[in-house]
Amino acid sequence: MAAASETVASRKATDMPPIDPRVLVHLERQAKQVSESLEIMMGNLRGTLHSMSAITVGCMQTHRDMVESLGDTTDLCVKAMYTLIARCEELNNSMKPVHEIAQQIKDIKKQLEAFEALCK
């Protein structure tokens, strides 16, 4: 390996074969085309990433809005449930006299049956 590097070092610039200018022009043209293609590709990638970011932001905002809405709806449902429980308790309390009246009706019915039995 050392012998190969000594051989290269011992060569002079004049020992190199001449470079064809057309090859350099062709190489420069290809490099420019690659550069333009890369620039177009980067622009397309930038646009695609921007669109993806916008969609992601939209989805996150929708998710946030739905979570807030769900929380509000849940609060309203819990409040409505407590209101319903309170109304049921009020109804139950207002029905206590009905139970007493029902018992009085049963007692009157028993007394009437006993009276009818005496009258026969």
Side-chain angles (χ1 to χ4, degrees):
M1 178 116 163
S5 56
E6 287 177 16
T7 307
V8 172
S10 64
R11 285 189 187 169
K12 296 181 180 176
T14 57
D15 291 344
M16 290 182 53
I19 298 175
D20 186 1
R22 293 176 295 171
V23 171
L24 289 177
V25 169
H26 180 70
L27 184 61
E28 186 178 345
R29 193 176 311 130
Q30 284 183 332
K32 189 173 183 179
Q33 287 175 348
V34 168
S35 173
E36 290 171 355
S37 295
L38 182 62
E39 190 173 327
I40 291 170
M41 182 189 70
M42 292 302 289
N44 291 338
L45 181 62
R46 185 181 312 112
T48 301
L49 288 174
H50 180 72
S51 297
M52 290 170 65
S53 295
I55 291 170
T56 302
V57 167
C59 289
M60 293 304 294
Q61 289 172 342
T62 301
H63 182 266
R64 180 200 63 215
D65 294 345
M66 290 303 103
V67 168
E68 287 176 4
S69 176
L70 178 63
D72 293 344
T73 302
T74 303
D75 287 344
L76 290 174
C77 288
V78 168
K79 289 176 184 176
M81 181 186 66
Y82 282 125
T83 302
L84 177 63
I85 290 170
R87 298 285 187 259
C88 289
E89 288 174 353
E90 290 174 6
L91 179 62
N92 191 36
N93 290 335
S94 69
M95 294 297 286
K96 284 183 182 176
V98 173
H99 294 297
E100 293 171 4
I101 292 172
Q103 186 61 42
Q104 289 174 356
I105 291 172
K106 286 180 186 176
D107 292 342
I108 291 172
K109 186 177 177 183
K110 284 183 186 178
Q111 290 175 1
L112 283 174
E113 287 174 357
F115 184 69
E116 285 178 355
L118 288 175
C119 291
K120 286 187 179 184

